[in-house]
Amino acid sequence: MKSRAGTLDALLREQAGRRPDRPALVSPAGHVTSYGELDRAVGRLAGRLARLGLVAGDRIVVQLPNCVEFILLIFALFRLGVIPVLALPGHRRSEIDHLCKMTEAVGYAIPRRHAGFDFIPLAEEVRRGNYGLRHILVEGNTDRPLAAHSDDVFLLQGDTDLPPGREETEFPGPNSADLALLLLSGGTTGTPKLIPRTHRDYVYNVTESAALCGLDEAGVYLAALPVAHNFALGCPGVLGTLAVGGTVVLAPDAAPDQLFPLIERQRVTVSALTPPLLTLWLAEAAWTEADLSSLRLLQVGGARLSRADAARVGPELGCRLQQVFGMAEGLLCFTRPDDPEETVFSTQGRPLAAADELRVVDGDDHEVAPGDVGRLLVRGPYTIRSYYRAPEYDATAFTTDGYYRTGDLVRITPTGHLVVEGRVKDVINRGGEKVPAAEVEDHLSAHPLIAQVALVGMPDGLLGERTCAYVVPQGTPPALGELAAFLRGRGLAAYKLPDRLEVVDVLPRTGVGKVDKRELATGIAAKLRAERLARA
Ligand code: OOB
């Protein structure tokens, strides 16, 4: 079977043809998979999935950590034209159930266990509520059968040295204009939105990002952030590295005490981090005995980076910093290798493509004066024009002429670089992890002791912000621990649980009667300052 030109799978195939013996992947345990082996294993897996009855256009929710199976599976799905729906490892029943329903998924891929969590009961629970979910794909050779539906369990082999299987059956591969994958939005509404990315736009996304970063076949990319997230997947990330014939090193998590020896062993040249992880890396760099001299470029993005940490990267880690401001919806901004130091320290870069169209507007969609802060709108070659199956939401998320409303407040410098100054969307950016306030509030409103609730961000030294739930109780005020247990019981991901609880008699309202979140945010920030002073 041939993959059609311009698809994500064709990127891998081309490199496999050109350099079959070069290392493509290094697993967390250190096992190396060559391009040729990877390509053949993808073919065998695609064949097995086809024999399971999966056909082009089907959706599969993929919730795997950074492991070889993740890469095998998404390429096998790309080859078949089956659409991976990329969930994050931290998601739980609430998020997964929603993704399955939204996409009418026919399969759900999980690790057996990851980060102390047993995924099998989760899969069984999700399956009970989703009639169409026919296949649970379990990573690795599980030594424990699924309690129920065991005939439907499909064990994804982690071992790429399977006996030379049949070459996969003939199936028509996708076209470059077809849907390739569904990414999760950082969100603003009560339920997470899905972002349809086509082969063409994502191929552009990954190959242009790789070129901008100077990544080539000598590049060794360390995947420290979850590869299910756009940043580590395609900016240039795992896919951009494979597209140029480089090597991807998969890290099980981003803790620097484990990663620094890995950087030394694998001679890693580039990686991507969020600002809080960079802070941890900087702290560890003072103590480490590992040789980090192979590192050439460190990308940092997902949340606002402090100028102070930015300036420490060169001297303390011995590599160049690149700030990245991106979003799963499309637009990517990068500082460039030849940008002046000050630009790299204090801006979030400029757009990837010359064809990216940016507008900075006020609340009435009128352009603000050049250099002024306003709301960022964007349209461009790899930015979506609509969400997946959400026409009503699209009407507010996009302008009538197709610009995406990012919800970010930015200003543009005379050199065309963006500085992120804040946001208008109701999302709390917890060190790069996005917590949609409305989603958490909807869950909390169901608590019997809560009459009204509002979730706001509060400043935090490490994460940038954390979450604070303001609650008007109904009877006895609940405690924070109870709320956490309640939300966990409702299947919410742990990073969405409130960090702090404030019990109040009333919530402040704006002139039009909406909860005044600005006042709540100012209030909790002042209270934190006072508490800090009292402790000092
Ligand atoms: C990345 O993607 P998402 O979809 O998780 O989140 C997008 C949002 C942006 O709209 C912005 O609010 C925030 O995350 N953000 C930043 C930022 N990068 C993203 N805020 C301040 N400074 C930055 N450098 O987060 C993402 C996707 C691709 C590459 C990098 C990050």
Side-chain angles (χ1 to χ4, degrees):
M1 143 74 229
K2 282 207 190 65
S3 34
R4 298 218 171 92
T7 62
L8 289 162
D9 181 46
L11 296 176
L12 171 65
R13 289 234 155 167
E14 192 188 318
Q15 293 299 335
R18 199 182 293 174
R19 48 184 116 245
D21 300 325
R22 294 277 303 155
L25 300 176
V26 180
S27 78
H31 179 73
V32 180
T33 305
S34 72
Y35 273 93
E37 285 172 320
L38 177 60
D39 182 45
R40 286 191 298 278
V42 166
R44 284 193 299 272
L45 180 54
R48 290 169 66 198
L49 294 173
R51 287 194 290 281
L52 269 185
L54 293 180
V55 295
D58 281 349
R59 276 84 50 202
I60 295 232
V61 174
V62 176
Q63 189 182 25
L64 292 173
N66 292 3
C67 58
V68 172
E69 290 84 351
F70 178 99
I71 316 290
L72 275 177
L73 180 60
I74 61 166
F75 274 104
L77 297 177
F78 293 154
R79 199 164 285 189
L80 291 168
V82 176
I83 316 300
V85 183
L86 298 185
L88 295 173
H91 287 146
R92 293 296 177 256
R93 191 189 66 240
S94 171
E95 290 91 2
I96 301 297
D97 187 64
H98 170 72
L99 294 179
C100 289
K101 291 201 160 67
M102 217 18 222
T103 63
E104 299 172 279
V106 298
Y108 173 32
I110 51 165
R112 197 170 61 82
R113 257 188 101 71
H114 175 68
F117 183 76
D118 190 353
F119 280 79
I120 306 269
L122 170 61
E124 284 170 348
E125 223 182 322
V126 169
R127 204 186 135 117
R128 276 196 291 278
N130 288 276
Y131 180 71
L133 195 62
R134 297 197 303 271
H135 310 290
I136 306 295
L137 291 76
V138 183
E139 169 228 323
N141 298 306
T142 164
D143 53 12
R144 209 185 96 191
L146 274 181
H149 318 295
S150 57
D151 50 337
D152 287 331
V153 174
F154 180 76
L155 296 181
L156 265 174
Q157 304 289 324
D159 172 14
T160 50
D161 296 315
L162 295 173
R166 278 182 279 159
E167 192 37 27
E168 65 272 27
T169 39
E170 284 295 318
F171 33 76
N175 282 312
S176 69
D178 288 341
L179 180 59
L181 71 165
L182 288 164
L183 294 173
L184 249 134
S185 163
T188 51
T189 51
T191 50
K193 295 289 174 287
L194 283 164
I195 297 165
R197 303 292 301 257
T198 63
H199 282 275
R200 183 162 43 212
D201 93 64
Y202 216 61
V203 164
Y204 181 92
N205 193 105
V206 312
T207 55
E208 290 297 309
S209 300
L212 187 149
C213 294
L215 196 63
D216 60 20
E217 72 278 0
V220 181
Y221 177 85
L222 174 68
L225 296 174
V227 293
H229 188 271
N230 188 32
F231 192 10
L233 183 67
C235 308
V238 167
L239 297 182
T241 305
L242 295 176
V244 298
T247 303
V248 171
V249 178
L250 295 158
D253 70 79
D257 53 331
Q258 304 204 16
L259 291 192
F260 283 4
L262 198 57
I263 292 173
E264 172 176 334
R265 254 198 324 277
Q266 304 297 339
R267 308 299 297 158
V268 168
T269 64
V270 49
S271 191
L273 298 176
T274 54
L277 285 170
L278 173 64
T279 306
L280 298 182
W281 277 39
L282 288 167
E284 179 79 9
W287 301 99
T288 190
E289 284 172 7
D291 171 13
L292 305 180
S293 62
S294 58
L295 260 188
R296 185 177 63 74
L297 181 68
L298 193 58
Q299 303 181 288
V300 180
R304 182 68 191 269
L305 173 64
S306 75
R307 195 191 175 288
D309 274 0
R312 290 174 60 191
V313 171
E316 296 177 37
L317 291 169
C319 62
R320 232 178 28 238
L321 167 71
Q322 177 181 65
Q323 291 213 42
V324 186
F325 163 63
M327 53 204 69
E329 283 81 357
L331 176 70
L332 301 175
C333 297
F334 299 88
T335 57
R336 303 300 199 268
D338 54 358
D339 275 340
E341 205 166 58
E342 192 48 42
T343 305
V344 176
F345 292 168
S346 59
T347 80
Q348 280 66 60
R350 58 187 174 82
L352 172 63
D356 283 321
E357 301 174 90
L358 273 58
R359 294 181 61 207
V360 182
V361 302
D362 63 19
D364 297 320
D365 284 354
H366 296 128
E367 229 95 24
V368 301
D372 279 4
V373 176
R375 304 168 182 218
L376 176 66
L377 310 182
V378 61
R379 194 166 72 171
Y382 56 95
T383 297
I384 55 165
R385 296 294 185 105
S386 60
Y387 283 97
Y388 183 72
R389 299 184 175 177
E392 275 162 40
Y393 185 61
D394 287 344
T396 59
F398 299 87
T399 65
T400 47
D401 50 356
Y403 282 81
Y404 167 58
R405 299 180 189 277
T406 65
D408 292 310
L409 287 173
V410 305
R411 63 185 166 84
I412 299 184
T413 70
T415 54
H417 288 79
L418 267 74
V419 179
V420 181
E421 297 281 4
R423 61 168 180 260
V424 286
K425 55 187 167 189
D426 202 4
V427 173
I428 296 142
N429 193 337
R430 206 171 169 280
E433 290 188 307
K434 314 303 182 321
V435 183
E439 185 183 346
V440 180
E441 289 162 358
D442 285 352
H443 281 284
L444 284 174
S445 302
H447 193 286
L449 296 177
I450 293 180
Q452 290 169 38
V453 59
L455 194 78
V456 297
M458 56 182 186
D460 181 75
L462 182 63
L463 295 183
E465 32 182 354
R466 287 183 194 264
T467 55
C468 175
Y470 274 93
V471 163
V472 178
Q474 197 158 258
T476 331
L480 180 63
E482 282 172 65
L483 295 188
F486 177 73
L487 292 176
R488 236 183 254 115
R490 291 176 67 91
L492 208 64
Y495 68 87
K496 295 179 185 169
L497 306 184
D499 293 298
R500 179 172 174 134
L501 168 67
E502 290 290 312
V503 175
V504 291
D505 294 333
V506 285
L507 293 174
R509 300 276 165 177
T510 64
V512 292
K514 290 211 293 191
V515 173
D516 190 344
K517 290 203 166 179
R518 192 180 305 212
E519 184 175 331
L520 291 174
T522 324
I524 190 65
K527 193 164 177 183
L528 287 174
R529 259 194 318 275
E531 286 172 3
R532 227 179 4 253
L533 283 175
R535 274 198 311 270

